[in-house]
Amino acid sequence: MKVHHLRNATMVIETGDKIILVDPMLGKKGTAGPTFTLFRFKPQKNPIVDLPNNAMSVVNKATHCLITHLHPDHLDKEAELFLKSRNIPIICSIKDEATLKKRGLNVMQTVEYWKESSFLGGKIQGIPAVHGYGFVAKPMGNVMGFYIELPNEKSIYLSADTIYNDDVHRVLTQLKPDIAVVACGTAQLDIFQPLLMRMDDILRFVKNAPNKVLANHLEAVNHCPTKRAELQKEVSNIGLTDKVFIPKDGESITY
């Protein structure tokens, strides 16, 4: 399995002749959405960086697309146009099916929380995700992580935009994924608590993950203060540098 990290949560999972695009934000710098904060962090239109030069050569090979939720930093207008123009089959939460179909996208398969279904010759199940600490999670809406087992490949857990909770813990300790992807930007709006794991929970995720960890959702949208160097330092402090891959935009890894 080859995993290409492109930007933010946008990644491509390459497995045999199947190329799975995940949470595509494909627009140029500043075109995907408004600034998410006005005063807590510097107001900037999102994304705050362009896609890496090699991104579209990978994206153009996509045979399927997996969407965890509908926020513009996970599915922007440019991505919708791309998916529609190629009629790419979409796999998403059953709760997002109606909205995506209304937008003209080709929803091939819906997934439910903790229900296993067949997927590309293997299996997929939806994992609950809570997009924020406390009250803010409710207006953030539905999010779904995915646990995927494909033939002759390592299992992968896409935890999606979530805090650390019992469901995340259950996946790491009971399903024991070979690869666990975690959103590390510690996103926060001008008010309310963070929308993603704080550093102590990121490190708890890293410690409890049984195998390899890939850290994403970093340095691409204006409300995510955590920097790669800071995360690298914290991971090093707990002696788990070899366990965690913190890719630069455009970087790939083979598992």
Side-chain angles (χ1 to χ4, degrees), residues 105-140:
L105 296 176
N106 174 23
V107 177
M108 172 189 90
Q109 181 175 355
T110 57
V111 184
E112 295 183 56
Y113 293 128
W114 291 120
K115 282 199 178 168
E116 200 171 75
S117 49
S118 59
F119 175 59
L120 304 182
K123 297 171 188 169
I124 189 170
Q125 60 179 303
I127 309 299
V130 178
H131 199 340
Y133 295 90
F135 169 78
V136 74
K138 198 169 177 81
M140 286 296 104

Side-chain angles (χ1 to χ4, degrees), residues 205-247:
F205 186 103
V206 168
K207 286 174 187 168
N208 290 332
N211 300 292
K212 295 292 186 181
V213 174
L214 188 150
N216 68 6
H217 216 304
L218 291 160
E219 299 181 37
V221 284
N222 87 298
H223 65 322
C224 285
T226 305
K227 300 283 185 271
R228 287 179 174 94
E230 178 192 352
L231 179 59
Q232 191 71 63
K233 184 179 172 205
E234 294 284 351
V235 167
S236 174
N237 286 345
I238 60 171
L240 293 177
T241 301
D242 292 345
K243 188 176 184 179
V244 184
F245 179 52
I246 307 172

Side-chain angles (χ1 to χ4, degrees), residues 86-229:
R86 307 203 172 202
N87 201 33
I88 289 176
I90 309 285
I91 302 93
C92 66
S93 164
I94 196 164
K95 296 188 173 185
D96 291 332
E97 178 183 18
T99 303
L100 290 172
K101 281 185 171 174
K102 201 171 174 184
R103 293 184 190 177
L105 296 176
N106 174 23
V107 177
M108 172 189 90
Q109 181 175 355
T110 57
V111 184
E112 295 183 56
Y113 293 128
W114 291 120
K115 282 199 178 168
E116 200 171 75
S117 49
S118 59
F119 175 59
L120 304 182
K123 297 171 188 169
I124 189 170
Q125 60 179 303
I127 309 299
V130 178
H131 199 340
Y133 295 90
F135 169 78
V136 74
K138 198 169 177 81
M140 286 296 104
N142 304 313
V143 184
M144 179 177 277
F146 297 101
Y147 178 73
I148 303 168
E149 296 171 284
L150 296 173
N152 308 310
E153 294 284 16
K154 295 186 183 304
S155 58
I156 186 166
Y157 170 39
L158 308 173
S159 62
D161 281 13
T162 188
I163 60 173
Y164 196 101
N165 62 8
D166 290 344
D167 294 300
V168 171
H169 188 74
R170 179 176 159 191
V171 176
L172 297 178
T173 56
Q174 294 181 22
L175 298 182
K176 298 187 185 301
D178 296 309
I179 308 153
V181 180
V182 57
C184 294
T186 319
Q188 191 164 9
L189 303 176
D190 283 329
I191 53 175
F192 306 120
Q193 296 187 71
L195 310 176
L196 297 172
M197 293 180 206
R198 298 185 182 99
M199 186 60 74
D200 59 339
D201 277 337
I202 295 169
L203 297 178
R204 182 153 62 125
F205 186 103
V206 168
K207 286 174 187 168
N208 290 332
N211 300 292
K212 295 292 186 181
V213 174
L214 188 150
N216 68 6
H217 216 304
L218 291 160
E219 299 181 37
V221 284
N222 87 298
H223 65 322
C224 285
T226 305
K227 300 283 185 271
R228 287 179 174 94

